[in-house]
Amino acid sequence: MANLVYKRVSTDQQSTARQDLVLAEAGIEDPRVFEEEAGTSSRLHPLQRPTFGELLTYARPGDTVHISEMFRLVRGNQHILDVLEVLHRDQLALRIHDGAFSAMDLTARHPRTGELLSTVKFILQTLAAAGELQRDLQRELTYDGLRAAEAKGNKGGRRPALAGQTVTRVRTAYLDGRSIAALAREHDVSRGAVRTAVADLLPEHVADAPAPAPELPITLDMPGKVADFLRTAELDGVERAALDHGQAVRRGTGYTLRVTAEPAVHRQLLDRCQVLDGVGAIPAQRKARREYENRVSTLDR
């Protein structure tokens, strides 16, 4: 039985030094190391990461997957449940060597039903809820900060490279025949900055182009397994609001979420859960995503 070590860092400015120390102290015998390319984002579902996929392909029943801490592998509740399902299917053990999960056997299942122990599920869901609360608070604080800045006449985002009287001079020079490249060299900025300053003067600009007609909101039933996954995913404000305002409708032992949103938002949410139809996906989730895809596809007819 092999010991398979998985390592990952979120940016190429980070190193695995801390993970190496924790794993070395664990005294793992004859480790086979699988390390993701530097910068592999935690937002990418673990089952979609190239090196973790290689690990699962290499693994054999009875092998143990070792990680330094939980969040080197997963980001949220649904991610870990998906991974545990695949590890259970492939008869692999999971060993976490540091952090809150280091003393837990997350692969423990009921001897008769074969399902994850309820205590394991409870702890996972509690920690996921705490993480979601933290992200929501961060969004609220960011929003409040932007509103306070706007009240003082400030705008968020990066300051323009050209501003004030410089923009006026650049625009005048452009109308006099100076090229964008020459103006960029003169003011030591990128060509993109000059293009931004003279955007409405460019030949391809259409000043009075009619605005497209707004799309009307459409109500679609989203399978509960898709909704559960999306709640742990990174969504923008519009997508999150559509999900939060959805109405749950019970269907036997499960449910569907009745979501009202513009067609473009439904398509964005469908793209967000693409991973549920990927390699190593759980059949029930794959089926749920395809049901949602079929409903979204009716918007294009």
Side-chain angles (χ1 to χ4, degrees):
M1 293 184 289
N3 289 309
L4 313 179
V5 171
Y6 178 74
K7 298 190 291 184
R8 181 191 64 81
V9 290
S10 298
T11 71
D12 53 12
Q13 281 77 42
Q14 296 175 326
S15 76
T16 60
R18 182 179 179 280
Q19 297 175 63
D20 294 338
L21 177 62
V22 171
L23 294 166
E25 291 176 344
I28 303 169
E29 295 184 5
D30 300 323
R32 172 73 162 84
V33 178
F34 293 82
E35 183 174 341
E36 291 286 359
E37 183 178 349
T40 302
S41 173
S42 59
R43 297 181 183 180
L44 186 63
H45 195 290
L47 299 179
Q48 293 297 105
R49 295 180 195 150
T51 303
F52 190 64
E54 293 174 11
L55 181 152
L56 293 176
T57 301
Y58 178 89
R60 295 294 179 267
D63 290 351
T64 300
V65 179
H66 297 264
I67 54 177
S68 60
E69 56 188 342
M70 173 63 77
F71 298 107
R72 292 299 96 204
L73 177 60
V74 298
R75 182 180 181 88
N77 180 35
Q78 191 58 51
H79 283 193
I80 184 57
L81 291 177
D82 292 346
V83 169
L84 291 178
E85 189 67 29
V86 171
L87 295 181
H88 175 66
R89 180 197 67 193
D90 295 345
Q91 301 178 47
L92 305 175
L94 176 64
R95 182 74 173 86
I96 303 166
H97 294 279
D98 195 21
F101 293 96
S102 59
M104 294 176 55
D105 180 6
L106 297 180
T107 57
R109 292 177 176 264
H110 194 281
R112 288 184 293 278
T113 65
E115 296 181 351
L116 278 175
L117 291 179
S118 56
T119 50
V120 173
K121 280 188 178 180
F122 172 76
I123 292 173
L124 288 171
Q125 290 165 354
T126 301
L127 291 175
E132 185 171 355
L133 174 62
Q134 181 183 23
R135 290 193 295 271
D136 289 343
L137 289 173
Q138 288 173 340
R139 280 197 296 269
E140 290 174 5
L141 290 172
T142 300
Y143 176 71
D144 290 343
L146 289 173
R147 287 189 62 192
E150 289 175 358
K152 295 180 180 180
N154 300 323
K155 293 184 178 180
R158 182 183 298 176
R159 293 183 177 180
L162 296 171
Q165 292 300 316
T166 305
V167 173
T168 302
R169 291 194 294 270
V170 166
R171 290 170 63 84
T172 301
Y174 179 76
L175 289 172
D176 288 341
R178 296 290 302 280
S179 70
I180 289 177
L183 289 168
R185 288 193 299 272
E186 179 182 337
H187 294 279
D188 194 24
V189 296
S190 68
R191 297 184 185 187
V194 176
R195 281 187 168 273
T196 299
V198 301
D200 60 322
L201 305 178
L202 296 174
E204 62 268 25
H205 179 75
V206 181
D208 297 321
E215 293 184 308
L216 296 177
I218 301 294
T219 300
L220 292 180
D221 282 352
M222 176 187 293
K225 292 186 181 299
V226 172
D228 290 342
F229 171 80
L230 288 173
R231 286 194 176 98
T232 66
E234 286 293 320
L235 305 178
D236 64 27
V238 175
E239 295 166 345
R240 179 68 62 183
L243 208 64
D244 290 345
H245 288 89
Q247 295 182 340
V249 179
R250 290 293 165 187
R251 305 289 187 193
T253 58
Y255 77 100
T256 60
L257 190 67
R258 192 152 290 165
V259 178
T260 300
E262 295 179 359
V265 176
H266 282 295
R267 296 186 190 99
Q268 289 169 207
L269 290 171
L270 179 64
D271 289 341
R272 298 286 192 188
C273 60
Q274 177 66 42
V275 65
L276 299 183
D277 202 20
V279 177
I282 299 172
Q285 290 182 322
R286 181 185 296 117
K287 179 181 178 182
R289 185 195 177 277
R290 290 181 179 177
E291 287 179 6
Y292 185 47
E293 182 177 28
N294 289 337
R295 292 165 188 166
V296 174
S297 65
T298 63
L299 302 176
D300 299 321
R301 296 174 186 172

